Amino acid sequence: MDWIFVIVAGLLEVLSINYMNKWQLIKKFGLKKSSVLIVKMCLAFGGSLVLLNLALDTLPMSITYAVWSGIGSVGGVLVGIIRYGESANWKRLVCIAMILSSVVGLKLVS
């Protein structure tokens, strides 16, 4: 169950990063009020931290944090590529693969 908390916490981190990017776009172009978006972003960040804290009750901090931050990092890059048209060149994809393999490697040797 604790690993499910970590995975969901990582996904909430990705969601909050997406909200943060939307908020920046709204501020930049003045499209609409952003107060609802700020609340959603804060709830997603808060939920992520609460679930991470619950997982840390029984899981080791080093691996848990690595998995959580790996999901957030890779997910943030993938959201940027898929949703916001950021570059998907081979160098970025190799770096994503290195992050993923590092997190998996840490889990395997722990």
Side-chain angles (χ1 to χ4, degrees), residues 15-62:
L15 182 63
S16 58
I17 291 167
N18 182 49
Y19 287 146
M20 187 182 298
N21 193 49
K22 281 184 175 182
W23 182 45
Q24 289 300 317
L25 291 173
I26 287 170
K27 279 181 24 181
K28 183 176 181 179
F29 297 111
L31 299 175
K32 59 182 177 179
K33 292 184 178 180
S34 61
S35 57
V36 173
L37 200 55
I38 293 170
V39 171
K40 287 180 180 180
M41 181 178 63
C42 290
L43 288 173
F45 272 129
S48 177
L49 292 175
V50 166
L51 289 174
L52 180 64
N53 186 45
L54 289 173
L56 287 173
D57 285 342
T58 57
L59 298 174
M61 185 271 306
S62 57

Side-chain angles (χ1 to χ4, degrees), residues 4 9 12 15 17 26 34 39 48-49 64 69-70 72 76-77 79 83 96 98-99:
I4 293 173
L12 284 172
L15 182 63
I17 291 167
I26 287 170
S34 61
V39 171
S48 177
L49 292 175
T64 305
S69 63
V77 171
V79 166
R83 189 166 174 127
I96 291 171
M98 288 179 3
I99 292 170

